[in-house]
Amino acid sequence: LLCDTQGSSSYVQWFCFRVRDMQAGEAYTFHLSNLLKPGSLFEEGCQPVLWSKRRKQETGEGWVREGTDVAYYPCQDAGRRHRVSFDVRFPFDEDEVFLSHAAPYTFS
């Protein structure tokens, strides 16, 4: 469940979180609820991005679009709230990864 930003009137849409100690090749399904926008780029084929600590160390590759069975749909029990669901197969065992709506960036 994604939380509203305190005192903000903007949409809850962006996410970034860490996952550790997974098994490579195993399908993990994520359901992120409480999104406010009635539409999303996930409906147009957008995928979340994944950053793997081990992949970065071994190949130098950073954020990569990954995920299958991506769906964006209204929550049955939450009024105008929506949910994004997707499956991910992690590239390495016992890794540390971040999943995000888009690759984070800075202004510098």
Side-chain angles (χ1 to χ4, degrees):
L1 180 65
L2 301 175
C3 297
D4 295 346
T5 303
Q6 192 78 5
S8 172
S9 62
S10 62
Y11 290 121
V12 175
Q13 194 69 19
W14 199 86
F15 60 86
C16 184
F17 58 92
R18 179 176 61 182
V19 180
R20 294 186 289 191
D21 302 324
M22 70 291 293
Q23 293 181 351
E26 181 91 14
Y28 291 83
T29 301
F30 295 90
H31 304 284
L32 307 179
S33 300
N34 206 29
L35 301 165
L36 289 170
K37 290 178 88 173
S40 171
L41 290 176
F42 289 123
E43 294 175 300
E44 307 297 324
C46 185
Q47 296 169 286
V49 293
L50 182 144
W51 183 90
S52 162
K53 183 176 183 178
R54 287 199 41 204
R55 182 167 50 202
K56 182 69 173 174
Q57 291 169 340
E58 293 181 19
T59 69
E61 191 173 29
W63 291 98
V64 175
R65 293 234 172 246
E66 294 195 22
T68 58
D69 296 325
V70 180
Y72 189 82
Y73 51 96
C75 294
Q76 298 281 338
D77 56 347
R80 60 187 189 97
R81 307 285 178 157
H82 290 74
R83 176 177 293 138
V84 63
S85 297
F86 53 89
D87 294 340
V88 173
R89 292 183 187 272
F90 296 104
F92 299 98
D93 286 323
E94 306 299 320
D95 196 5
E96 180 176 8
V97 305
F98 288 87
L99 287 163
S100 181
H101 181 271
Y105 63 92
T106 64
F107 290 108
S108 58

